[in-house]
């Protein structure tokens, strides 16, 4: 369980965020040929060619898959809302196709546009050796997991991803995605855009605010990832947030009769379930023939 943190950032055209100056963004082909999506013709789909390496805008390109849910009330349209999916690895196109949960008011007043970020699904998906992906090592130190085996495995897996994916593997970072979003803004012909991002999607959203503050009308970041942290710091803050959220839940259950666990020692119950899961004896309630582990 993780605490949900929502940050609302309104950025005026003249305000810089984070002290990073925007750089010129070259777009190989700024036109968008919107067509009814094959999966659902009620939405529009298109693709946008962007450089694999934004430091070499004239180099090789990939196509980024796009989807648009047009504003229902065109006369009262405010602008375009770009939705940045989380993950990393979530398809923004699929989220819109399946119903992304935006309110009727938002869908009425905004064109909602999303994308499969570079390296995801329709946008030159990152590919790795399937056998390596399926055969990850033991990650549990309490059950014999060894860090040297994990290091060896991750290096072998990374090498296989580079071999199967090609040069894009070195350019699937949040800053590159932010530059893709700027290319999208230009292709849409919008002076400023609005961003909605969640979880990992807040990483490119933060990068976009730092690089292109004058092009940002508003940004809503839900469940924010702190892009200033290293890996160790990120995991530590994530663990603290999880612990804090669980403690709040347990306190609420102790107070609220509507909690299904009211009257139960929630901390002790969790500890007992964790112990059973560690022994491989905890049934999955959705598929009882399978067992949950401490890693779920």
């Amino acid at each position: 369980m993780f605490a949900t943190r929502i940050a609302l950032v309104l950025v005026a055209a003249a305000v810089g965020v984070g002290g990073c100056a925007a750089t010129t963004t070259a777009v190989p082909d700024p036109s968008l040929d919107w067509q009814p999506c094959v999966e659902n013709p009620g939405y529009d789909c298109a693709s946008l060619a962007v450089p694999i390496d934004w430091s070499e805008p004239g180099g090789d390109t990939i196509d980024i898959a796009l989807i648009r849910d047009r504003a229902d009330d065109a006369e009262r349209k405010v602008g375009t809302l770009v939705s940045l999916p989380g993950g990393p690895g979530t398809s923004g196109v699929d989220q819109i196709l399946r119903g992304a949960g935006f309110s009727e008011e938002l869908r009425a007043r905004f064109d909602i546009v999303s994308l499969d970020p570079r390296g995801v699904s329709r946008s030159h998906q990152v590919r790795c050796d399937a056998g390596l992906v399926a055969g990850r090592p033991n990650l549990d130190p309490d059950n014999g997991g060894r860090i040297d085996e994990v290091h060896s495995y991750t290096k072998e897996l990374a090498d296989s991803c580079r071999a199967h994916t090609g040069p894009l593997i070195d350019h699937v970072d949040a800053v590159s995605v932010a530059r893709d979003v700027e290319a999208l803004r230009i292709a849409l012909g919008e002076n400023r855009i609005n961003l909605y991002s969640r979880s990992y999607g807040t990483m490119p959203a933060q990068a976009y605010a730092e690089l292109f503050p004058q092009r940002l009308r508003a940004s809503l970041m839900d469940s924010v990832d702190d892009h200033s942290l290293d890996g160790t710091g990120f995991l530590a803050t994530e663990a603290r947030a999880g612990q804090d959220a669980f403690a709040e839940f347990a306190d609420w259950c102790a107070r609220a009769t509507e909690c299904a666990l009211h009257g139960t020692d929630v901390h002790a119950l969790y500890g007992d379930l964790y112990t059973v899961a560690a022994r491989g004896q905890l049934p999955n309630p959705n598929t009882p023939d399978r067992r949950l582990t401490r890693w779920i």
Side-chain angles (χ1 to χ4, degrees), residues 189-218:
E190 297 278 4
N191 183 49
R192 293 191 298 169
I193 57 173
N194 308 275
L195 293 181
Y196 168 73
S197 56
R198 182 179 180 182
S199 190
Y200 178 77
T202 65
M203 300 284 267
Q206 291 168 73
Y208 189 88
E210 292 176 342
L211 290 167
F212 309 105
Q214 74 276 19
R215 298 303 184 183
L216 191 58
R217 175 183 176 270

Side-chain angles (χ1 to χ4, degrees), residues 140-161:
D140 187 349
D142 292 335
N143 285 329
R146 294 171 52 87
I147 191 64
D148 57 336
E149 293 178 354
V150 175
H151 286 166
S152 176
Y153 168 79
T154 54
K155 182 182 185 305
E156 187 177 2
L157 180 62
D159 290 343
S160 83
C161 297

Side-chain angles (χ1 to χ4, degrees), residues 10-221:
L10 297 177
V11 184
V15 177
V17 178
C20 293
T23 56
T24 301
T25 301
V27 183
D29 181 0
S31 63
L32 293 175
D33 181 20
W34 293 108
Q35 298 292 333
C37 296
V38 173
E39 299 94 330
N40 185 336
Y43 300 107
D44 302 323
C45 284
S47 63
L48 176 66
V50 296
I52 290 176
D53 181 355
W54 273 106
S55 69
E56 298 181 2
D60 292 340
T61 65
I62 59 168
D63 289 335
I64 299 295
L66 309 171
I67 189 169
R68 177 178 64 182
D69 181 7
R70 283 170 288 177
D72 294 330
D73 189 348
E75 293 184 357
R76 299 173 64 230
K77 176 182 168 183
V78 174
T80 296
L81 173 68
V82 177
S83 177
L84 296 177
T90 302
S91 164
V93 173
D94 286 343
Q95 285 186 328
I96 299 297
L97 288 172
R98 295 169 183 167
F102 291 106
S103 69
E104 291 185 5
E105 183 178 4
L106 271 175
R107 295 186 65 196
R109 305 291 300 277
F110 290 87
D111 283 348
I112 298 176
V113 175
S114 194
L115 70 160
D116 286 354
R118 52 175 55 217
V120 174
S121 192
R122 304 165 184 83
S123 299
H124 197 98
Q125 183 174 4
V126 169
R127 300 189 180 278
C128 309
D129 183 274
L132 285 172
V133 172
R136 68 181 187 178
N138 181 2
L139 302 177
D140 187 349
D142 292 335
N143 285 329
R146 294 171 52 87
I147 191 64
D148 57 336
E149 293 178 354
V150 175
H151 286 166
S152 176
Y153 168 79
T154 54
K155 182 182 185 305
E156 187 177 2
L157 180 62
D159 290 343
S160 83
C161 297
R162 175 168 282 100
H164 285 80
T165 303
L168 178 65
I169 198 67
D170 294 314
H171 304 284
V172 290
D173 55 283
V175 171
S176 293
V177 174
R179 294 190 182 280
D180 293 343
V181 172
E182 174 62 2
L184 171 60
R185 180 198 65 78
I186 295 171
L188 289 169
E190 297 278 4
N191 183 49
R192 293 191 298 169
I193 57 173
N194 308 275
L195 293 181
Y196 168 73
S197 56
R198 182 179 180 182
S199 190
Y200 178 77
T202 65
M203 300 284 267
Q206 291 168 73
Y208 189 88
E210 292 176 342
L211 290 167
F212 309 105
Q214 74 276 19
R215 298 303 184 183
L216 191 58
R217 175 183 176 270
S219 178
L220 174 63
M221 291 182 277

